[in-house]
Amino acid sequence: FDDGPYPSTTLKILDILAKENVRATFFNIGQQVELYPDLLKAVYEQDHVIGNYTYSHNMAEVYKGPKNFLDDVRKAEEIIYQTIGIRPQIVRAPGGTVGHFNIDYFNTIDAAGYLMEDWNVDPGDTDARLFSEDQLIRNVEEQIQGKTRVVILLHDLVGKNTTIDALPEIIELLKKQGFSFGVLGPDVLPIVFSGGLQD
């Protein structure tokens, strides 16, 4: 789950995950953590994994160069650390690495001890249009075909009500397809878009 925490969505997502006995990975924006530290604490206390989604999520700023990106990540890391006492090693790039990263970004992030994480299933809830619950579920069903491992991109973001509505059914669909649930971390092979690895 990217973008949170938000009062209108985070607790609803946590309730669903608790009912389904599923752990998830939350990539949090530093500015949002500053606004809603108790929500980040709630995510962490329910044993979900916390990732770093930069401080500002300001794509015009963070993609001026690798140092700008790293500085924004470190600023978010410090706020997360002050809030829950951990320093996330996993990082997600706003918009994903493809089209934004090149090898210099990866080298800079790697040298600083971080691990980049993209995804391989995108139900479409990042789209400006509000996809229906059924459409989100269909998109997941289509994109998981032939895959033995999936990292699904969903958003903990104000207004994403159909994401919350679809979540229990997405979990049920994955269970029926034989998937088990895990979380991202430094001991898990990351999924990274190959397009972002260009010079």
Side-chain angles (χ1 to χ4, degrees):
F1 291 93
D2 287 3
D3 289 333
Y6 280 91
S8 60
T9 50
T10 303
L11 294 176
K12 292 176 184 175
I13 292 168
L14 289 178
D15 284 346
I16 293 166
L17 295 174
K19 284 176 189 169
E20 298 287 347
N21 195 30
V22 167
R23 293 175 70 210
T25 307
F26 287 75
F27 288 93
N28 297 276
I29 297 173
Q31 286 179 329
Q32 288 302 115
V33 174
E34 281 182 325
L35 292 171
Y36 307 111
D38 288 346
L39 289 178
L40 183 72
K41 289 175 186 173
V43 173
Y44 183 61
E45 286 165 3
Q46 289 193 27
D47 201 29
H48 299 292
V49 168
I50 306 299
N52 186 328
Y53 201 34
T54 73
Y55 172 77
S56 67
H57 198 281
N58 182 335
M59 293 165 85
E61 290 298 317
V62 301
Y63 294 128
K64 282 183 176 176
K67 183 183 182 305
N68 297 69
F69 187 89
L70 181 60
D71 288 348
D72 217 62
V73 164
R74 284 181 166 155
K75 188 173 181 181
E77 178 187 317
E78 195 56 39
I79 290 160
I80 291 168
Y81 177 73
Q82 294 299 327
T83 305
I84 56 173
I86 66 157
R87 297 185 180 276
Q89 190 177 347
I90 56 172
V91 175
R92 179 163 280 170
T97 57
V98 73
H100 301 117
F101 265 43
N102 58 34
I103 198 67
D104 293 335
Y105 280 84
F106 279 106
N107 288 343
T108 299
I109 290 298
D110 184 60
Y114 298 109
L115 194 64
M116 292 306 303
E117 300 278 358
D118 284 314
W119 57 88
N120 66 354
V121 173
D122 181 1
D125 77 338
T126 187
D127 197 289
R129 297 167 296 152
L130 193 61
F131 279 160
S132 70
E133 173 187 344
D134 289 344
Q135 184 65 57
L136 294 174
I137 296 163
R138 277 198 303 275
N139 290 347
V140 171
E141 189 167 20
E142 288 170 6
Q143 292 179 44
I144 64 175
Q145 297 307 311
K147 292 185 172 102
T148 57
R149 178 171 176 255
V150 298
V151 175
I152 301 175
L153 173 69
L154 291 169
H155 289 80
D156 176 7
L157 182 62
V158 65
K160 298 297 180 185
N161 300 324
T162 57
T163 299
I164 293 165
D165 294 339
L167 184 56
E169 293 184 61
I170 289 171
I171 292 170
E172 184 62 26
L173 167 67
L174 292 166
K175 287 178 177 176
K176 283 181 178 175
Q177 295 282 339
F179 286 97
S180 57
F181 291 81
V183 290
L184 302 177
D187 57 339
V188 177
L189 183 68
I191 288 175
V192 179
F193 300 141
S194 59
L197 293 167
Q198 305 306 312
D199 289 333

